Coordinates of all heavy atoms in Angstrom, one line a residue:
R1 N 25.3 -83.1 -13.8 CA 26.6 -82.5 -13.9 C 27.4 -82.6 -12.6 O 26.8 -82.4 -11.5 CB 26.5 -81.1 -14.3 CG 25.9 -80.9 -15.7 CD 25.8 -79.4 -16.0 NE 25.1 -79.3 -17.3 CZ 24.4 -78.3 -17.7 NH1 24.4 -77.2 -16.9 NH2 23.8 -78.3 -18.8
S2 N 28.6 -82.9 -12.7 CA 29.4 -83.0 -11.5 C 30.5 -81.9 -11.5 O 31.7 -82.2 -11.1 CB 30.0 -84.4 -11.3 OG 30.8 -84.7 -12.5
S3 N 30.2 -80.7 -11.9 CA 31.2 -79.6 -12.0 C 31.4 -78.9 -10.7 O 32.3 -78.1 -10.6 CB 30.7 -78.6 -13.0 OG 29.6 -78.0 -12.6
G4 N 30.7 -79.3 -9.6 CA 30.8 -78.6 -8.3 C 30.1 -77.3 -8.3 O 30.2 -76.5 -7.4
L5 N 29.4 -76.9 -9.4 CA 28.6 -75.7 -9.4 C 27.1 -76.0 -9.4 O 26.7 -77.0 -9.9 CB 28.9 -74.9 -10.7 CG 30.4 -74.5 -11.0 CD1 30.5 -73.9 -12.4 CD2 30.8 -73.5 -9.9
D6 N 26.4 -75.1 -8.7 CA 24.9 -75.2 -8.8 C 24.5 -74.5 -10.1 O 25.0 -73.5 -10.4 CB 24.3 -74.5 -7.6 CG 24.6 -75.1 -6.3 OD1 24.8 -76.3 -6.3 OD2 24.6 -74.4 -5.3
V7 N 23.6 -75.2 -10.8 CA 23.1 -74.6 -12.1 C 21.6 -74.3 -12.0 O 20.8 -75.2 -11.5 CB 23.4 -75.6 -13.2 CG1 22.9 -75.0 -14.5 CG2 24.9 -75.9 -13.3
I8 N 21.2 -73.1 -12.3 CA 19.8 -72.8 -12.3 C 19.4 -72.5 -13.8 O 20.1 -71.7 -14.5 CB 19.6 -71.5 -11.5 CG1 19.9 -71.7 -10.1 CG2 18.1 -71.0 -11.7 CD1 19.9 -70.4 -9.2
S9 N 18.5 -73.3 -14.3 CA 18.0 -73.0 -15.7 C 17.1 -71.8 -15.7 O 16.3 -71.6 -14.8 CB 17.2 -74.2 -16.2 OG 18.1 -75.3 -16.3
C10 N 17.2 -71.0 -16.7 CA 16.4 -69.8 -16.8 C 15.7 -69.8 -18.1 O 16.0 -69.0 -19.0 CB 17.4 -68.6 -16.7 SG 16.6 -67.0 -16.5
R11 N 14.7 -70.6 -18.2 CA 13.9 -70.7 -19.5 C 13.2 -69.4 -19.8 O 13.2 -69.0 -21.0 CB 12.9 -71.9 -19.3 CG 13.5 -73.2 -19.3 CD 12.5 -74.3 -19.4 NE 13.1 -75.6 -19.3 CZ 13.4 -76.3 -18.2 NH1 13.0 -75.8 -17.0 NH2 14.0 -77.4 -18.2
E12 N 12.7 -68.7 -18.8 CA 12.0 -67.5 -19.1 C 13.0 -66.4 -19.5 O 12.5 -65.3 -20.0 CB 11.1 -67.0 -17.9 CG 11.9 -66.8 -16.6 CD 12.1 -68.0 -15.8 OE1 11.7 -69.1 -16.2 OE2 12.6 -67.9 -14.7
C13 N 14.2 -66.6 -19.4 CA 15.2 -65.6 -19.8 C 15.9 -66.0 -21.0 O 17.1 -65.6 -21.3 CB 16.3 -65.4 -18.6 SG 15.6 -64.8 -17.1
G14 N 15.3 -66.9 -21.8 CA 15.9 -67.3 -23.1 C 16.7 -68.6 -23.0 O 17.5 -68.8 -23.9
G15 N 16.5 -69.4 -22.0 CA 17.1 -70.7 -22.0 C 18.6 -70.7 -21.5 O 19.2 -71.7 -21.5
G16 N 19.0 -69.6 -20.9 CA 20.4 -69.5 -20.4 C 20.5 -70.2 -19.1 O 19.5 -70.7 -18.5
E17 N 21.7 -70.3 -18.6 CA 22.0 -70.9 -17.3 C 22.8 -69.9 -16.4 O 23.6 -69.1 -16.9 CB 22.8 -72.2 -17.4 CG 22.0 -73.3 -18.0 CD 22.9 -74.5 -18.1 OE1 24.1 -74.5 -18.0 OE2 22.3 -75.6 -18.3
I18 N 22.5 -69.9 -15.1 CA 23.3 -69.1 -14.2 C 24.0 -70.1 -13.3 O 23.4 -71.0 -12.8 CB 22.3 -68.3 -13.3 CG1 21.5 -67.3 -14.2 CG2 23.1 -67.5 -12.2 CD1 20.4 -66.6 -13.4
R19 N 25.3 -69.9 -13.1 CA 26.1 -70.8 -12.3 C 26.5 -70.1 -11.0 O 27.0 -69.0 -11.1 CB 27.3 -71.4 -13.1 CG 26.9 -72.2 -14.3 CD 28.2 -72.6 -15.0 NE 27.8 -73.4 -16.1 CZ 27.8 -74.8 -16.1 NH1 28.3 -75.4 -15.1 NH2 27.4 -75.5 -17.2
M20 N 26.4 -70.8 -9.9 CA 26.8 -70.3 -8.6 C 27.7 -71.3 -8.0 O 27.3 -72.5 -7.8 CB 25.6 -70.0 -7.7 CG 24.6 -69.0 -8.3 SD 23.2 -68.8 -7.3 CE 22.4 -70.4 -7.5
E21 N 28.9 -70.9 -7.6 CA 29.8 -71.8 -6.9 C 29.3 -72.1 -5.5 O 29.1 -71.3 -4.7 CB 31.2 -71.2 -6.8 CG 31.8 -71.0 -8.2 CD 33.3 -70.6 -8.0 OE1 34.0 -71.1 -7.1 OE2 33.7 -69.8 -8.8
D22 N 29.1 -73.4 -5.2 CA 28.8 -73.9 -3.9 C 27.9 -73.0 -3.1 O 28.2 -72.6 -2.0 CB 30.1 -74.1 -3.1 CG 31.1 -75.1 -3.8 OD1 30.6 -76.0 -4.4 OD2 32.3 -74.8 -3.7
G23 N 26.7 -72.7 -3.6 CA 25.7 -72.0 -2.9 C 26.2 -70.6 -2.4 O 26.2 -70.4 -1.2
F24 N 26.7 -69.8 -3.3 CA 27.2 -68.5 -3.0 C 28.5 -68.5 -2.2 O 28.8 -67.6 -1.4 CB 26.1 -67.7 -2.2 CG 24.9 -67.5 -3.0 CD1 23.8 -68.3 -2.7 CD2 24.8 -66.6 -4.0 CE1 22.6 -68.2 -3.4 CE2 23.6 -66.5 -4.8 CZ 22.5 -67.3 -4.4
G25 N 29.3 -69.4 -2.4 CA 30.7 -69.4 -1.9 C 30.8 -69.3 -0.4 O 31.6 -68.6 0.1
G26 N 30.0 -70.1 0.3 CA 30.1 -70.1 1.8 C 29.3 -69.0 2.5 O 29.5 -68.8 3.7
A27 N 28.4 -68.4 1.8 CA 27.7 -67.3 2.4 C 26.9 -67.8 3.7 O 26.7 -67.0 4.6 CB 26.7 -66.6 1.4
D28 N 26.5 -69.0 3.7 CA 25.7 -69.5 4.8 C 26.5 -70.1 5.9 O 26.1 -70.1 7.0 CB 24.7 -70.6 4.2 CG 23.6 -70.9 5.2 OD1 23.1 -70.0 5.8 OD2 23.2 -72.1 5.3
T29 N 27.8 -70.5 5.6 CA 28.6 -71.1 6.6 C 29.8 -70.3 7.0 O 30.5 -70.6 8.0 CB 29.1 -72.4 6.1 OG1 29.9 -72.2 4.9 CG2 28.0 -73.4 5.8
E30 N 30.1 -69.2 6.3 CA 31.3 -68.4 6.7 C 31.0 -66.9 7.0 O 31.6 -66.3 7.8 CB 32.3 -68.5 5.5 CG 32.8 -69.8 5.3 CD 33.7 -69.9 4.1 OE1 34.1 -68.9 3.6 OE2 34.0 -71.0 3.6
H31 N 30.0 -66.4 6.3 CA 29.7 -64.9 6.4 C 29.1 -64.6 7.8 O 28.3 -65.4 8.3 CB 28.7 -64.5 5.3 CG 28.3 -63.1 5.4 ND1 29.2 -62.1 5.0 CD2 27.2 -62.5 5.8 CE1 28.6 -60.9 5.2 NE2 27.4 -61.1 5.7
R32 N 29.5 -63.5 8.4 CA 29.0 -63.0 9.6 C 28.6 -61.6 9.5 O 29.3 -60.8 8.7 CB 30.0 -63.2 10.7 CG 30.4 -64.6 11.0 CD 31.6 -64.7 11.8 NE 32.2 -66.0 11.8 CZ 32.0 -67.0 12.6 NH1 31.2 -66.8 13.7 NH2 32.6 -68.2 12.5
H33 N 27.6 -61.1 10.1 CA 27.1 -59.8 10.0 C 26.7 -59.2 11.4 O 26.2 -59.9 12.2 CB 25.9 -59.7 9.0 CG 25.6 -58.3 8.6 ND1 24.8 -57.5 9.4 CD2 25.9 -57.6 7.5 CE1 24.6 -56.3 8.8 NE2 25.3 -56.4 7.7
S34 N 27.0 -58.0 11.6 CA 26.7 -57.4 12.9 C 25.2 -57.4 13.2 O 24.7 -57.5 14.3 CB 27.2 -55.9 13.0 OG 26.6 -55.1 12.0
G35 N 24.3 -57.4 12.2 CA 22.9 -57.5 12.4 C 22.4 -58.8 12.9 O 21.3 -58.9 13.4
T36 N 23.2 -59.8 12.8 CA 22.9 -61.1 13.4 C 23.8 -61.5 14.5 O 24.1 -62.7 14.8 CB 23.0 -62.2 12.3 OG1 24.3 -62.3 11.8 CG2 22.0 -62.0 11.1
A37 N 24.3 -60.5 15.2 CA 25.2 -60.7 16.4 C 26.4 -61.5 16.0 O 27.0 -62.3 16.7 CB 24.5 -61.4 17.5
L38 N 26.9 -61.3 14.7 CA 28.1 -61.9 14.2 C 27.9 -63.5 14.1 O 28.9 -64.2 14.2 CB 29.4 -61.5 14.9 CG 29.7 -60.0 14.9 CD1 30.9 -59.7 15.7 CD2 29.9 -59.6 13.4
M39 N 26.7 -63.9 14.0 CA 26.4 -65.3 13.8 C 26.4 -65.7 12.3 O 26.1 -64.9 11.5 CB 25.0 -65.7 14.4 CG 24.9 -65.6 15.8 SD 25.7 -66.9 16.6 CE 25.8 -66.2 18.3
R40 N 26.8 -66.9 12.1 CA 26.7 -67.4 10.7 C 25.3 -67.7 10.4 O 24.6 -68.3 11.3 CB 27.6 -68.6 10.5 CG 29.1 -68.3 10.7 CD 29.9 -69.5 10.6 NE 29.4 -70.5 11.5 CZ 29.7 -71.8 11.4 NH1 30.5 -72.2 10.4 NH2 29.3 -72.7 12.2
P41 N 24.8 -67.5 9.2 CA 23.4 -67.9 8.9 C 23.1 -69.3 9.2 O 22.0 -69.7 9.7 CB 23.2 -67.6 7.4 CG 24.2 -66.4 7.2 CD 25.4 -66.8 8.1
A42 N 24.0 -70.2 8.9 CA 23.8 -71.6 9.2 C 23.5 -71.9 10.7 O 22.7 -72.7 11.1 CB 24.9 -72.5 8.7
D43 N 24.3 -71.2 11.6 CA 24.1 -71.4 13.0 C 22.7 -70.9 13.4 O 22.0 -71.5 14.3 CB 25.1 -70.6 13.8 CG 26.5 -71.3 13.7 OD1 26.6 -72.5 13.4 OD2 27.5 -70.6 13.8
V44 N 22.2 -69.8 12.9 CA 20.9 -69.3 13.2 C 19.8 -70.2 12.6 O 18.9 -70.6 13.3 CB 20.7 -67.9 12.7 CG1 19.3 -67.4 12.9 CG2 21.7 -66.9 13.3
D45 N 20.0 -70.6 11.4 CA 19.0 -71.5 10.7 C 18.8 -72.8 11.3 O 17.7 -73.4 11.4 CB 19.3 -71.6 9.2 CG 19.2 -70.4 8.4 OD1 18.6 -69.4 8.9 OD2 19.7 -70.3 7.3
H46 N 19.9 -73.4 11.9 CA 19.9 -74.7 12.5 C 19.8 -74.7 14.0 O 20.0 -75.7 14.6 CB 21.1 -75.5 12.0 CG 21.1 -75.7 10.5 ND1 20.2 -76.5 9.8 CD2 21.9 -75.1 9.6 CE1 20.5 -76.4 8.5 NE2 21.5 -75.6 8.4
G47 N 19.4 -73.6 14.6 CA 19.2 -73.5 16.0 C 20.4 -73.6 16.9 O 20.3 -74.0 18.1
R48 N 21.6 -73.2 16.4 CA 22.8 -73.3 17.1 C 23.3 -72.0 17.7 O 24.3 -71.9 18.4 CB 23.9 -73.9 16.3 CG 23.7 -75.3 15.8 CD 24.9 -75.9 15.0 NE 25.2 -75.1 13.8 CZ 25.0 -75.5 12.6 NH1 24.5 -76.7 12.4 NH2 25.4 -74.8 11.6
A49 N 22.5 -70.9 17.5 CA 22.9 -69.6 17.9 C 23.1 -69.5 19.4 O 24.1 -68.9 19.8 CB 21.9 -68.5 17.4
E50 N 22.2 -70.0 20.2 CA 22.4 -69.9 21.6 C 23.6 -70.7 22.1 O 24.3 -70.2 23.0 CB 21.1 -70.4 22.3 CG 19.9 -69.5 22.2 CD 19.2 -69.7 20.9 OE1 19.5 -70.7 20.1 OE2 18.3 -68.9 20.6
A51 N 23.9 -71.8 21.5 CA 25.1 -72.6 21.9 C 26.4 -71.8 21.6 O 27.3 -71.8 22.3 CB 25.1 -74.0 21.3
V52 N 26.4 -71.2 20.4 CA 27.5 -70.4 20.0 C 27.7 -69.2 20.9 O 28.8 -68.9 21.3 CB 27.4 -69.9 18.5 CG1 28.4 -68.9 18.1 CG2 27.4 -71.1 17.5
Q53 N 26.6 -68.6 21.3 CA 26.6 -67.4 22.2 C 27.2 -67.8 23.5 O 28.0 -67.1 24.1 CB 25.2 -66.9 22.3 CG 25.1 -65.6 23.0 CD 25.5 -64.4 22.0 OE1 26.2 -64.6 21.1 NE2 24.9 -63.3 22.3
S54 N 26.8 -69.0 24.0 CA 27.3 -69.5 25.3 C 28.8 -69.7 25.2 O 29.6 -69.4 26.2 CB 26.6 -70.8 25.7 OG 25.3 -70.6 26.0
R55 N 29.3 -70.3 24.2 CA 30.7 -70.6 24.0 C 31.5 -69.3 23.9 O 32.6 -69.1 24.5 CB 31.0 -71.4 22.8 CG 30.6 -72.9 23.0 CD 31.1 -73.8 21.9 NE 30.9 -73.4 20.6 CZ 29.9 -73.7 19.8 NH1 28.9 -74.5 20.3 NH2 29.8 -73.3 18.6
R56 N 30.9 -68.3 23.2 CA 31.6 -67.0 23.2 C 31.7 -66.3 24.5 O 32.7 -65.8 24.9 CB 30.8 -66.0 22.2 CG 30.9 -66.4 20.8 CD 30.1 -65.4 19.9 NE 30.2 -65.7 18.5 CZ 29.6 -65.1 17.6 NH1 28.7 -64.1 17.9 NH2 29.8 -65.5 16.3
A57 N 30.6 -66.4 25.3 CA 30.6 -65.9 26.7 C 31.7 -66.5 27.6 O 32.5 -65.9 28.3 CB 29.3 -66.0 27.4
I58 N 31.8 -67.8 27.5 CA 32.8 -68.6 28.2 C 34.2 -68.1 27.8 O 35.1 -67.9 28.6 CB 32.7 -70.1 28.0 CG1 31.4 -70.5 28.7 CG2 33.9 -70.9 28.5 CD1 30.9 -71.9 28.4
T59 N 34.5 -68.0 26.5 CA 35.8 -67.6 26.0 C 36.1 -66.2 26.4 O 37.2 -65.9 26.9 CB 35.8 -67.6 24.4 OG1 35.5 -69.0 24.0 CG2 37.1 -67.2 23.9
L60 N 35.1 -65.3 26.4 CA 35.4 -63.9 26.8 C 35.7 -63.8 28.3 O 36.6 -63.1 28.7 CB 34.2 -63.0 26.4 CG 34.1 -62.7 24.9 CD1 32.7 -62.0 24.7 CD2 35.2 -61.9 24.4
D61 N 34.9 -64.6 29.1 CA 35.2 -64.6 30.5 C 36.6 -65.2 30.9 O 37.3 -64.7 31.7 CB 34.1 -65.5 31.2 CG 32.8 -64.8 31.3 OD1 32.7 -63.6 31.1 OD2 31.8 -65.5 31.6
A62 N 37.0 -66.2 30.2 CA 38.3 -66.8 30.4 C 39.4 -65.8 30.0 O 40.4 -65.7 30.7 CB 38.4 -68.1 29.6
A63 N 39.2 -65.1 28.9 CA 40.2 -64.1 28.5 C 40.3 -63.0 29.6 O 41.5 -62.6 29.9 CB 39.8 -63.5 27.2
Y64 N 39.2 -62.6 30.1 CA 39.3 -61.6 31.1 C 39.9 -62.1 32.4 O 40.8 -61.4 33.0 CB 37.8 -61.1 31.5 CG 37.8 -60.0 32.5 CD1 38.2 -58.7 32.2 CD2 37.4 -60.3 33.8 CE1 38.1 -57.7 33.1 CE2 37.4 -59.3 34.8 CZ 37.8 -58.0 34.4 OH 37.8 -57.0 35.3
M65 N 39.6 -63.3 32.8 CA 40.3 -63.9 34.0 C 41.8 -64.0 33.9 O 42.5 -63.8 34.8 CB 39.6 -65.2 34.4 CG 38.2 -65.0 34.8 SD 37.4 -66.6 35.2 CE 38.3 -67.2 36.6
C66 N 42.2 -64.4 32.7 CA 43.7 -64.6 32.4 C 44.4 -63.2 32.3 O 45.6 -63.1 32.7 CB 43.9 -65.4 31.2 SG 43.4 -67.1 31.4
H67 N 43.8 -62.3 31.7 CA 44.4 -61.0 31.4 C 43.5 -59.8 31.6 O 43.2 -59.1 30.7 CB 44.9 -61.0 29.9 CG 45.9 -62.1 29.6 ND1 47.2 -62.0 30.0 CD2 45.7 -63.3 29.0 CE1 47.8 -63.1 29.6 NE2 46.9 -63.9 29.0
P68 N 43.1 -59.5 32.8 CA 42.2 -58.4 33.1 C 42.8 -57.0 32.7 O 42.1 -56.1 32.4 CB 41.9 -58.5 34.6 CG 43.1 -59.3 35.1 CD 43.5 -60.2 34.1
E69 N 44.1 -56.9 32.7 CA 44.8 -55.7 32.3 C 44.5 -55.3 30.8 O 44.7 -54.2 30.5 CB 46.3 -55.8 32.6 CG 47.1 -56.6 31.7 CD 47.0 -58.1 32.0 OE1 46.3 -58.6 32.9 OE2 47.7 -58.9 31.2
R70 N 44.1 -56.3 30.0 CA 43.9 -56.0 28.6 C 42.5 -55.4 28.4 O 42.2 -54.9 27.3 CB 44.0 -57.3 27.8 CG 45.4 -57.8 27.8 CD 45.5 -59.0 26.9 NE 46.9 -59.5 26.9 CZ 47.3 -60.6 26.2 NH1 46.4 -61.2 25.5 NH2 48.5 -61.0 26.2
F71 N 41.7 -55.4 29.4 CA 40.3 -54.8 29.3 C 40.2 -53.5 30.0 O 40.5 -53.4 31.2 CB 39.3 -55.9 29.8 CG 39.3 -57.2 29.1 CD1 40.3 -58.1 29.4 CD2 38.4 -57.4 28.1 CE1 40.3 -59.3 28.7 CE2 38.4 -58.6 27.4 CZ 39.4 -59.6 27.7
V72 N 39.8 -52.5 29.3 CA 39.9 -51.1 29.8 C 39.0 -50.9 31.0 O 39.4 -50.5 32.1 CB 39.5 -50.1 28.7 CG1 39.5 -48.7 29.3 CG2 40.5 -50.2 27.6
R73 N 37.7 -51.3 30.9 CA 36.7 -51.0 32.0 C 36.2 -52.3 32.7 O 35.9 -52.3 33.9 CB 35.6 -50.2 31.4 CG 36.0 -48.8 31.0 CD 34.9 -47.9 30.6 NE 35.3 -46.6 30.2 CZ 35.5 -46.2 29.0 NH1 35.2 -47.1 28.0 NH2 36.0 -45.0 28.7
K74 N 35.8 -53.3 31.9 CA 35.2 -54.5 32.4 C 35.3 -55.6 31.4 O 35.8 -55.5 30.3 CB 33.7 -54.2 32.7 CG 32.9 -53.8 31.4 CD 31.5 -53.6 31.6 CE 30.8 -53.3 30.3 NZ 29.4 -53.3 30.4
A75 N 34.9 -56.8 31.9 CA 34.9 -57.9 31.0 C 33.9 -57.7 29.8 O 32.9 -57.0 30.0 CB 34.5 -59.2 31.7
L76 N 34.2 -58.3 28.7 CA 33.3 -58.1 27.5 C 32.2 -59.2 27.6 O 32.3 -60.2 28.2 CB 34.1 -58.3 26.2 CG 35.2 -57.3 26.0 CD1 36.0 -57.6 24.7 CD2 34.6 -55.9 26.0
A77 N 31.1 -58.9 26.9 CA 30.0 -59.8 26.7 C 29.7 -60.0 25.2 O 29.9 -59.0 24.5 CB 28.8 -59.3 27.4
P78 N 29.2 -61.1 24.8 CA 28.9 -61.3 23.4 C 27.8 -60.3 23.0 O 27.0 -59.9 23.8 CB 28.3 -62.7 23.3 CG 28.8 -63.4 24.5 CD 29.0 -62.4 25.6
I79 N 27.7 -60.0 21.7 CA 26.6 -59.1 21.2 C 25.3 -59.9 21.4 O 25.2 -61.0 21.1 CB 26.9 -58.9 19.7 CG1 28.2 -58.2 19.5 CG2 25.7 -58.1 19.1 CD1 28.6 -58.1 18.0
P80 N 24.3 -59.2 22.0 CA 23.0 -59.9 22.2 C 22.4 -60.3 20.9 O 22.5 -59.7 19.8 CB 22.1 -58.8 22.8 CG 23.1 -57.8 23.3 CD 24.3 -57.8 22.4
L81 N 21.7 -61.5 20.9 CA 21.1 -62.0 19.7 C 19.8 -61.2 19.4 O 19.1 -60.9 20.3 CB 20.7 -63.5 20.0 CG 21.8 -64.5 20.2 CD1 21.3 -65.9 20.6 CD2 22.7 -64.6 18.9
P82 N 19.6 -60.9 18.2 CA 18.4 -60.1 17.8 C 17.2 -61.0 17.9 O 17.2 -62.2 17.8 CB 18.7 -59.7 16.4 CG 19.6 -60.7 15.9 CD 20.4 -61.2 17.0
L83 N 16.0 -60.4 18.1 CA 14.7 -61.2 18.1 C 14.3 -61.5 16.7 O 13.7 -62.6 16.4 CB 13.6 -60.4 18.7 CG 13.8 -60.1 20.2 CD1 12.7 -59.2 20.7 CD2 13.9 -61.4 21.0
A84 N 14.6 -60.7 15.7 CA 14.3 -60.9 14.3 C 15.3 -60.2 13.4 O 15.9 -59.2 13.8 CB 12.9 -60.4 14.0
V85 N 15.5 -60.8 12.3 CA 16.5 -60.2 11.3 C 15.8 -60.2 9.9 O 15.2 -61.2 9.6 CB 17.8 -61.0 11.2 CG1 18.7 -60.4 10.2 CG2 18.5 -61.0 12.6
W86 N 15.9 -59.1 9.2 CA 15.2 -59.0 7.9 C 16.2 -58.6 6.9 O 17.1 -57.8 7.1 CB 14.1 -57.9 8.0 CG 13.1 -58.1 9.1 CD1 13.1 -57.5 10.3 CD2 12.0 -59.1 9.1 NE1 12.1 -57.9 11.0 CE2 11.4 -58.9 10.3 CE3 11.6 -60.0 8.2 CZ2 10.3 -59.7 10.7 CZ3 10.5 -60.8 8.5 CH2 9.8 -60.6 9.8
I87 N 16.0 -59.1 5.7 CA 16.7 -58.5 4.5 C 15.9 -57.3 4.0 O 16.5 -56.2 3.9 CB 16.9 -59.6 3.4 CG1 17.8 -60.7 3.8 CG2 17.4 -58.9 2.1 CD1 17.9 -61.8 2.9
N88 N 14.6 -57.5 3.8 CA 13.7 -56.4 3.5 C 12.6 -56.6 4.5 O 11.7 -57.5 4.4 CB 13.2 -56.6 2.1 CG 14.3 -56.4 1.1 OD1 15.1 -55.5 1.2 ND2 14.4 -57.3 0.2
K89 N 12.5 -55.7 5.5 CA 11.5 -55.8 6.6 C 10.1 -55.6 6.0 O 9.9 -54.7 5.2 CB 11.8 -54.7 7.6 CG 10.9 -54.8 8.8 CD 11.3 -53.8 9.9 CE 10.4 -54.0 11.1 NZ 10.8 -53.2 12.2
P90 N 9.2 -56.5 6.3 CA 7.8 -56.4 5.8 C 7.2 -55.1 6.3 O 7.5 -54.6 7.3 CB 7.1 -57.6 6.5 CG 8.2 -58.5 6.9 CD 9.4 -57.7 7.2
T91 N 6.3 -54.6 5.4 CA 5.6 -53.3 5.8 C 4.4 -53.6 6.7 O 3.9 -52.6 7.3 CB 5.2 -52.6 4.5 OG1 4.4 -53.5 3.7 CG2 6.4 -52.2 3.7
T92 N 4.0 -54.8 6.8 CA 2.9 -55.1 7.6 C 3.4 -55.7 8.9 O 4.5 -56.2 9.0 CB 1.9 -56.1 7.0 OG1 2.6 -57.3 6.7 CG2 1.3 -55.6 5.7
A93 N 2.6 -55.7 10.0 CA 3.0 -56.3 11.3 C 3.3 -57.8 11.1 O 2.6 -58.5 10.5 CB 2.0 -56.0 12.3
V94 N 4.4 -58.2 11.8 CA 4.8 -59.6 11.8 C 4.9 -60.0 13.2 O 5.5 -59.3 14.0 CB 6.1 -59.8 11.0 CG1 6.5 -61.3 11.2 CG2 5.9 -59.4 9.6
T95 N 4.3 -61.2 13.6 CA 4.5 -61.7 14.9 C 5.7 -62.6 15.0 O 5.8 -63.5 14.2 CB 3.2 -62.5 15.3 OG1 2.1 -61.6 15.2 CG2 3.3 -63.0 16.7
V96 N 6.6 -62.3 16.0 CA 7.8 -63.1 16.2 C 7.5 -64.1 17.3 O 7.1 -63.7 18.4 CB 9.0 -62.2 16.5 CG1 10.2 -63.1 16.8 CG2 9.2 -61.3 15.4
V97 N 7.6 -65.4 17.0 CA 7.3 -66.4 18.0 C 8.7 -67.0 18.5 O 9.5 -67.4 17.7 CB 6.5 -67.5 17.5 CG1 6.2 -68.6 18.5 CG2 5.2 -67.0 16.9
A98 N 8.9 -66.9 19.8 CA 10.2 -67.4 20.4 C 10.2 -68.9 20.3 O 9.1 -69.5 20.5 CB 10.4 -67.0 21.8
Q99 N 11.3 -69.5 20.0 CA 11.4 -71.0 19.9 C 11.8 -71.6 21.2 O 12.5 -71.1 21.9 CB 12.4 -71.3 18.8 CG 12.0 -70.9 17.4 CD 13.0 -71.3 16.4 OE1 14.1 -71.8 16.7 NE2 12.7 -71.1 15.1

């Protein structure tokens, strides 16, 4: 099918189909959440989080240098990247290995 929709067959549910537009409508490439330091899931999944973090720091530093009067106390810094992020945190101990 070339409808632009992802189709999941659901035989165990009576043979129906569930349609999702373009993999949840950009959830992986557009959505940002404070729990992931406002990173897009695609940036984290593909190892680009540190590069995005560096660009954010450069941008914030440049903004401070150009307009220090707009910052109340000091220059801003990007939100620190978390070591691990969970949708449902496992109840057993999990070892996080730095990449």
